[in-house]
Amino acid sequence: MSGASAQDMDRLLEAFYAAAFHLEWVRFRPHALELLCKATGASAAAWLTRASNDLPGEYAQWPEGSAIEQQVVHALSFGAGEHVRYLRDIPPGLGHEQQAVALSLAHRGTHLHSVLLLSLPPNVDPGAEYLLRAGGHLLQAGTLALSQFVRRDEWLHALGRASRGCSALIDRRGAVYVASQRFRELIGAQYGNPDFAELPFPLPAQTLEEEGGDFSLQGVHFRLNREGNLFLLHARRPHPLDGLSPREQEIARALGQGKTFKTVARDYDIAISTVANHASRIYKKLGLYRREDLVGLLRTAATSNRA
């Protein structure tokens, strides 16, 4: 690699990792493909990431609305030990005047695998060595973007928001794309192994059909939310307020912070008598009689979730 091209490569890698810090996983992927295309001279690119199973996985392409279809990238096959493949048959969506090159790469230190497909104009070839190095760092930056995605919960936990729990990004079969350390520790404590490539339990069929919701298993409370083609799974130990309605939980926390009925009524734009009725139901459901008991319950729960 010449001095000039080495400098170009360095700038490309710096751009990859800077984007991984500043952009969330979903936004990072098309942006990284744009950077790769501009560096290599490619007119279009696609990126498919899969976990330990053969589900389609997470897909991105650049430019937006490109005609490269996900199933085309999913169907690409590579020989044993083959990482770069120049395609003789041009896949649909690339245009017959183009040439196509595909990369098959593993994400180091994870259970993830990615395939990159680039559409190159005639007589433009950055070379296999360049593509492998650029593609390898693109994947590593992508792994970093994934880690940032779940690390937000670690930051909030450090700031005292323990009730938020911890999280993992998974597919519908439970294959793990990324999981925070606290998520692995919590699930590992319940199921015996924190180093899992797939969840050690099946996701409830009804929750998947509804593409999200709350459920509990073996003393752990979960919340599942759709995130692109994947799911964000939050996990935490049970909280005393779980049996309350969402509005009752809000008011219970407000009262636990020492706010008066009048202040809570103003904050939620409701009548003071409504706050009093909510408080009565909250105390009854929790088996409490005084506000001091509610404050103590919330403090004990927060301490338990920080453990």
Side-chain angles (χ1 to χ4, degrees):
M1 185 179 294
S2 68
S5 61
Q7 292 176 3
D8 291 341
M9 174 65 77
D10 289 342
R11 283 193 289 268
L12 175 62
L13 304 190
E14 288 174 4
F16 282 159
Y17 290 109
F21 273 108
H22 292 100
L23 299 177
E24 289 194 351
W25 162 252
V26 175
R27 291 179 56 208
F28 167 80
R29 290 166 64 82
H31 178 72
L33 289 179
E34 180 181 5
L35 294 173
L36 182 64
C37 285
K38 290 181 176 178
T40 60
S43 58
W47 180 5
L48 177 64
T49 301
R50 293 195 291 264
S52 56
N53 58 42
D54 201 39
L55 285 182
E58 192 75 351
Y59 182 71
Q61 58 182 346
W62 187 85
E64 184 178 355
S66 173
I68 307 174
E69 297 184 356
Q70 178 172 345
Q71 54 265 37
V72 170
V73 184
H74 184 73
L76 291 173
S77 60
F78 295 80
E82 184 180 21
H83 298 293
V84 182
R85 183 180 172 198
Y86 289 85
L87 305 179
R88 294 182 178 179
D89 298 324
I90 304 302
L94 269 67
H96 293 294
E97 73 282 359
Q98 299 289 90
Q99 57 178 327
V101 60
L103 305 177
S104 174
L105 299 167
H107 294 241
R108 286 183 311 210
T110 76
H111 303 283
L112 301 179
H113 179 270
S114 282
V115 174
L116 299 169
L117 178 62
L118 282 75
S119 177
L120 295 165
N123 303 320
V124 173
D125 182 5
E129 180 184 354
Y130 186 100
L131 291 172
L132 279 173
R133 186 179 178 197
H137 281 280
L138 182 147
L139 265 59
Q140 291 308 109
T143 301
L144 176 60
L146 269 175
S147 299
Q148 299 285 88
F149 191 83
V150 296
R151 198 168 292 165
R152 293 174 303 180
D153 295 314
E154 305 295 327
W155 296 334
L156 288 170
H157 180 267
L159 293 172
R161 291 282 302 279
S163 62
R164 181 182 173 91
C166 47
S167 60
L169 196 64
I170 61 173
D171 67 19
R172 62 175 49 251
R173 290 184 190 166
V176 177
Y177 278 63
V178 65
S180 70
Q181 184 61 35
R182 287 184 58 248
F183 184 94
R184 291 190 174 278
E185 291 172 355
L186 177 59
I187 303 305
Q190 298 297 117
Y191 292 89
N193 178 23
D195 186 26
F196 47 84
E198 297 186 10
L199 295 176
F201 55 84
L203 295 170
Q206 182 176 350
T207 306
L208 284 173
E209 290 174 4
E210 296 173 354
E211 298 195 340
D214 294 348
F215 62 95
S216 296
L217 291 172
Q218 291 199 9
V220 179
H221 182 80
F222 295 95
R223 171 167 293 177
L224 189 70
N225 295 302
R226 188 68 181 261
E227 191 72 39
N229 291 329
L230 304 175
F231 292 91
L232 184 63
L233 182 64
H234 282 280
R236 61 173 171 80
R237 294 183 178 90
H239 192 279
L241 303 190
D242 286 342
L244 305 181
S245 71
R247 175 46 64 92
E248 289 170 346
Q249 290 183 26
E250 293 173 341
I251 291 177
R253 289 191 173 94
L255 294 175
Q257 293 168 2
K259 293 184 178 181
T260 64
F261 282 12
K262 182 177 181 180
T263 301
V264 175
R266 184 182 66 241
D267 289 347
Y268 292 100
D269 194 23
I270 55 179
I272 296 177
S273 60
T274 302
V275 178
N277 290 333
H278 277 304
S280 178
R281 288 195 294 272
I282 289 167
Y283 291 150
K284 184 176 181 180
K285 287 182 178 181
L286 297 179
L288 305 176
Y289 299 94
R290 303 176 304 164
R291 183 189 293 237
E292 290 80 4
D293 297 331
L294 177 62
V295 172
L297 182 69
L298 294 176
R299 286 177 178 171
T300 301
T303 301
S304 173
N305 273 297
R306 289 191 185 101

